[in-house]
Amino acid sequence: MLNARNPFIVVEGLDGTGKTTLRKGLFRLFEGLYRGTPLAVLTANFLDASVAADLVEGKYQPDPDNRLHYLAALAADKQATATRLIAPSLPVRPVIADRWLLSELAFFAVKHGRAPKETYPHLAESLSVIPDLTLVLDISPEAAMERAAARPGDATRPDWDVLDVQARVRQVYQTVIDEPSAYPVLGPVVRIDAAQDRATVLHTAWQALVQRGLLPELPEGAQ
């Protein structure tokens, strides 16, 4: 067990910016220093089985007819994840989420034509758990696409991993980040230059946690 100050951390960014690498780095630091295993959360989680069909249809076949159903399904699934996974875990372990709310705002803006300020109230109104820190890995869309294409396997999607779409996603990120008071459920947001090497990105993220007093006390003998 750690203590009640375990943080809820969200990692956001374009595909290829290093979200998985950062999540794994933070995971290993918490595990090594605090002798506890964090909970890693991946979106979407499909914890509310009643909305699973709407989640799949709205994501993979987005159109005006399923937009509101998809939005309601996302809100329900986020709430289920917060209440069933995140909140019960925080007293005993950190929670690190690979994407959370910012990515949903960007997806709706690009694929459903809804501005973040329109989508945000629907997703935020029922959320009972707010991230202690949202880390946004920022890099040019060109560099992100190059990295994503270099990954093994079927890592890119022809309707999403294209330059104009990724540029629009990044613009949504920047719009939201530049007006934090309008999106309080994201929690404090820190932008990190993802063009830096992995060690520097991880160090910057860890220092953001330190500076905000989000780290538990080290267990005896670990200092």
Side-chain angles (χ1 to χ4, degrees), residues 81-164:
T81 303
T83 57
R84 294 172 58 184
L85 279 182
I86 297 172
S89 297
L90 288 174
V92 295
R93 68 185 66 202
V95 176
I96 308 170
D98 187 334
R99 302 188 186 275
W100 185 241
L101 199 60
L102 183 56
S103 291
E104 309 294 8
L105 298 177
F107 183 87
F108 259 89
V110 173
K111 288 295 188 177
H112 284 279
R114 294 287 295 269
K117 285 187 177 179
E118 295 179 75
T119 306
Y120 173 81
H122 296 276
L123 296 178
E125 63 184 356
S126 60
L127 278 179
S128 56
V129 180
I130 298 175
D132 294 294
L133 188 62
T134 293
L135 301 167
V136 180
L137 300 182
D138 187 38
I139 199 172
S140 72
E142 293 85 354
M145 288 182 57
E146 183 177 347
R147 287 185 180 182
R151 295 182 303 201
D154 186 15
T156 59
R157 296 154 294 178
D159 65 334
W160 187 255
D161 295 305
V162 292
L163 186 58
D164 66 316

